Amino acid sequence: VLEINTIDDPLNNKAESLGNAINSAFDEVYPVISPDGKTLYFDRKVHPDNIGTQKNDDIWLSRFTGAGWTIAENIGPPLNNENHNFICSISPDGNTALVGNSYLPAAAQGTGVSMARKTESGWAIPQPVKINAFQNLNQYNEFSLSADGAVLLMSLETSSGNGLLDLYVSFRQSNNTYSQPMSLGRQLNTAGMEMTPFLAADNKTLYFSSNGFPGFGNQDIFMTRRLDNSWTNWSEPQNMGSEVNTPEWDVYYSIDARGELSLIHIS
């Protein structure tokens, strides 16, 4: 029997449902908690209030008050349009969002990721983020942006990768493009599936989902820490344990800047 290398849940509690204000009869995925822990963004699928004729994925949000979480609301255009929309990261001030896919005219949408900025009149139309030599052979990918916007983590499947989705990093260049994705290395990437990276506020602690290490279910959440500035030297990944992981598909872990509140998608 393979031994599961576990770490105690840093929040020392069991996962619990966010309740009917957020969860519905439709699929809610990709939760992202704001650094201050007061706003939850997530992807809701095929809801009748989603924008567009196909009712594709839309970004929804809920705010935390003294009485709990508010009833989720559709964030609306321009972040939501006819295509699949989801938030990957939100800046510490809440005014910059990294959003999935390239926003093109409503009739088309490119792969990749875009940046949206909030103005006095609301969110501006997201602008594509240029990642040099970007390649993804998988229909899925996820991204996570560091708090200062200088480092972009992502899950990709490439012809030179270790297996299916692997974890990569890109760095912001002087012209505001991002460097060619570099693998985080074999300490993290396996022949299995490494996905949904989330870089914590300390810029060193990385949470991700994998089925390539011993775990409790189909996909488990793991934690690792960067040991130097190379971004290829990491501590041995540790399973977040049965307080967080289940026999199911555990993905999309995020934690607020104070380390007091974490979100996870379980299906």
Side-chain angles (χ1 to χ4, degrees):
V1 178
L2 293 176
E3 181 179 352
I4 302 175
N5 179 20
T6 60
I7 184 174
D8 289 337
D9 173 16
L11 302 184
N12 196 31
N13 56 23
K14 292 183 181 295
E16 59 183 70
S17 171
L18 290 177
N20 294 335
I22 295 172
N23 294 317
S24 72
F26 299 87
D27 284 342
E28 285 82 30
V29 302
Y30 215 144
V32 174
I33 190 70
S34 62
D36 64 7
K38 294 182 179 179
T39 307
L40 168 64
Y41 303 89
F42 62 93
D43 170 346
R44 177 171 276 168
K45 296 178 177 291
V46 298
H47 191 278
D49 290 339
N50 283 3
I51 293 174
T53 57
Q54 300 299 315
K55 303 299 181 186
N56 290 321
D57 300 35
D58 267 8
I59 300 163
W60 289 63
L61 65 86
S62 174
R63 296 179 176 88
F64 188 76
T65 68
W69 292 97
T70 61
I71 296 175
E73 58 190 87
N74 189 303
I75 204 170
L79 298 193
N80 288 328
N81 59 18
E82 291 273 351
N83 300 302
H84 293 291
N85 310 118
F86 55 95
I87 279 185
C88 305
S89 291
I90 193 79
S91 64
D93 63 7
N95 291 327
T96 302
L98 188 72
V99 291
N101 297 313
S102 294
Y103 282 63
L104 299 170
Q109 186 174 39
T111 60
V113 69
S114 298
M115 198 83 73
R117 304 190 189 281
K118 188 180 288 185
T119 68
E120 292 183 357
S121 58
W123 288 101
I125 296 173
Q127 299 300 307
V129 173
K130 179 171 175 50
I131 303 170
N132 295 317
F134 180 82
Q135 176 193 45
N136 184 24
L137 303 178
N138 199 292
Q139 62 177 320
Y140 300 110
N141 55 207
E142 301 92 19
F143 299 85
S144 178
L145 190 66
S146 63
D148 62 4
V151 181
L152 184 61
L153 277 294
M154 64 198 79
S155 59
L156 304 172
E157 182 179 349
T158 70
S159 56
S160 60
N162 289 1
L164 299 172
L165 288 170
D166 284 340
L167 302 178
Y168 290 80
V169 62
S170 290
F171 306 100
R172 187 173 59 196
Q173 308 296 289
S174 58
N175 61 359
N176 283 327
T177 66
Y178 283 81
S179 62
Q180 179 175 346
M182 177 181 72
S183 171
L184 295 188
R186 293 183 179 274
Q187 181 79 342
L188 305 188
N189 291 322
T190 71
M193 183 102 69
E194 280 69 52
M195 56 188 297
T196 67
F198 178 81
L199 185 65
D202 64 4
N203 221 33
K204 293 183 178 180
T205 306
L206 176 66
Y207 301 91
F208 65 98
S209 179
S210 175
N211 61 8
F213 300 95
F216 294 92
N218 186 6
Q219 289 271 153
D220 275 10
I221 303 297
F222 292 81
M223 186 201 73
T224 180
R225 287 190 174 92
R226 183 164 56 90
L227 300 178
D228 57 28
N229 292 325
S230 70
W231 291 86
T232 57
N233 188 16
W234 297 87
S235 65
E236 182 181 354
Q238 291 183 283
N239 188 294
M240 294 289 286
S242 58
E243 300 282 312
V244 172
N245 291 311
T246 73
E248 308 302 329
W249 195 66
D250 304 312
V251 291
Y252 301 120
Y253 187 92
S254 69
I255 192 167
D256 69 354
R258 296 172 296 177
E260 297 178 353
L261 177 66
S262 66
L263 274 296
I264 184 175
H265 169 83
I266 300 172
S267 66

